Amino acid sequence: MSELDNFLGWVKSRQRDAEVAIHNGDEGPRLATWSHNEPVSVLGAWFSATGWDEVDRMFHRLAASFSGCASYEYDIVAAEVSGDLAYTVGYEHTSATVDGEPRQYTLRVTNVYRREDGDWKVVHRHAEPPPNGSSG
């Protein structure tokens, strides 16, 4: 199995499980998949944060707004591994309750990862709605 295949296996299992968990109101698994070492950053669809303290607070805030994840899919358009750095680009399709209201939405997402002590950790996330007319 190639380095890219191993990495994508991690994305499609551990990171996917963390995303489902936060959409069910549990930030713990997402916190575990993120690096706590600087630099870390999020340019999010709803909130942005720089530095671990801000990112941690933001994930707790996000989890408090989510519940009832009915579905989550990350359609990866591109991915690569180069040494201890990697990235993914794709579209997240989510159906969950947000602040008490059922919602379905798609986000265009880029994640950057760093290998730390042999394990992949997310260090940057950029998420936004796709341009009008694009559904991913």
Side-chain angles (χ1 to χ4, degrees), residues 10 14-15 17-19 21-22 26-37 52 55-56 59-60 113-114 116 119-123:
W10 180 89
R14 190 155 173 227
Q15 185 181 11
D17 292 348
E19 293 306 305
I22 200 164
D26 178 6
E27 71 278 0
R30 187 186 258 194
L31 295 172
T33 61
W34 270 73
S35 176
H36 297 204
N37 301 318
W52 176 247
V55 168
D56 179 54
F59 289 161
H60 286 276
Y113 308 81
R114 181 172 53 224
E116 297 178 355
D119 195 18
W120 288 108
K121 298 291 182 175
V122 184
V123 296

Side-chain angles (χ1 to χ4, degrees), residues 8 10-12 20 27 31 33 40 49 55-56 70 77 86 89 95 102 124 128 130 135:
L8 289 174
W10 180 89
V11 170
K12 292 176 181 180
V20 170
E27 71 278 0
L31 295 172
T33 61
V40 293
V55 168
D56 179 54
V77 174
V89 177
S95 178
H124 175 74
E128 63 186 5
S135 63

